[in-house]
Amino acid sequence: FPVTIEGVDVLLQKSAATWRAWVTYTYQDSQNQFQSLNNSDYFASNADIKHHFTAAFNQKWNRFLFTAGWFWHSGKPYSTINETGDIISYNAKRLPDYHRLDASAVYQFQTPKGNHFKIGVSVYNLYNRHSLLSKELERQYANLSDFSNPRYEGREFYTLGIMPNVFFRLSF
């Protein structure tokens, strides 16, 4: 089946002795074509996220490392169904834009015997935004006719909100 993918990735990075910052941008146009779907016309692939932007920064201070990152991307495509479970559009609609802010802090030290320790905390989705990540279609098999005449049911998947994490690492 024909697939077309066009895109560009850009990375800008600056660093110094105690800090590093970077931004990335990705543009992608990914299209599928199947003879038996969508009147043989191209439609957006499931992974077709047109724009993706990341900004991140980390700072070393004594034995500490502080990091923050902000992530944004335009909405993912999804297919729609009617009341009877038939697909009426193939990835013709898009979810809302997605974004989140993550942060972490790590403390590193070493024992006189040379063992290295790291202890830290990180927070994923710092501002506790519950975002719609994807809309998926699940094929239904209630009876034998569903094998030849597929019916679908829509399901929505959301982020978990704020997710703190504490860790301890020992290297010896």
Side-chain angles (χ1 to χ4, degrees):
F1 58 92
V3 175
T4 64
I5 301 172
E6 298 174 348
V8 64
D9 289 315
V10 177
L11 166 66
L12 300 173
Q13 182 174 317
K14 177 72 176 165
S15 60
T18 60
W19 63 271
R20 186 171 77 149
W22 63 95
V23 295
T24 65
Y25 171 76
T26 299
Y27 169 79
Q28 173 185 282
D29 182 18
S30 176
Q31 303 286 317
N32 289 328
Q33 181 187 41
F34 299 96
Q35 289 182 354
S36 61
L37 296 178
N38 203 37
N39 297 320
S40 297
D41 292 332
Y42 280 92
F43 60 94
S45 74
N46 290 342
D48 185 47
I49 298 174
K50 296 288 187 203
H51 305 279
H52 188 276
F53 177 81
T54 301
F57 179 80
N58 69 30
Q59 172 75 49
K60 292 180 184 175
W61 178 66
N62 294 328
R63 294 182 176 181
F64 290 95
L65 175 64
F66 301 98
T67 304
W70 187 72
F71 307 89
W72 171 88
H73 68 69
S74 56
K76 292 172 59 174
Y78 67 94
S79 298
T80 57
I81 56 175
N82 61 18
E83 306 79 36
T84 60
D86 298 322
I87 296 176
I88 57 174
S89 75
Y90 293 92
N91 288 350
K93 298 222 177 199
R94 295 215 171 245
L95 297 176
D97 292 356
Y98 170 82
H99 61 90
R100 73 171 198 272
L101 176 65
D102 302 340
S104 69
V106 177
Y107 180 73
Q108 304 174 67
F109 59 98
Q110 182 176 340
T111 66
K113 293 183 178 184
N115 295 328
H116 296 270
F117 294 88
K118 286 184 183 180
I119 188 165
V121 61
S122 63
V123 181
Y124 178 90
N125 194 7
L126 192 63
Y127 45 76
N128 197 26
R129 184 165 186 224
H130 294 270
S131 301
L132 179 59
L133 284 179
S134 68
K135 286 188 176 187
E136 306 294 331
L137 297 181
E138 183 178 276
R139 191 163 177 177
Q140 301 297 298
Y141 296 101
N143 54 51
L144 286 177
S145 69
D146 290 338
F147 285 95
S148 58
N149 300 314
R151 292 181 312 110
Y152 295 89
E153 184 176 297
R155 296 192 57 192
E156 295 183 347
F157 297 91
Y158 290 84
T159 59
L160 295 176
I162 193 168
M163 291 186 290
N165 178 40
V166 177
F167 68 89
F168 178 76
R169 181 184 300 166
L170 164 65
S171 302
F172 55 93

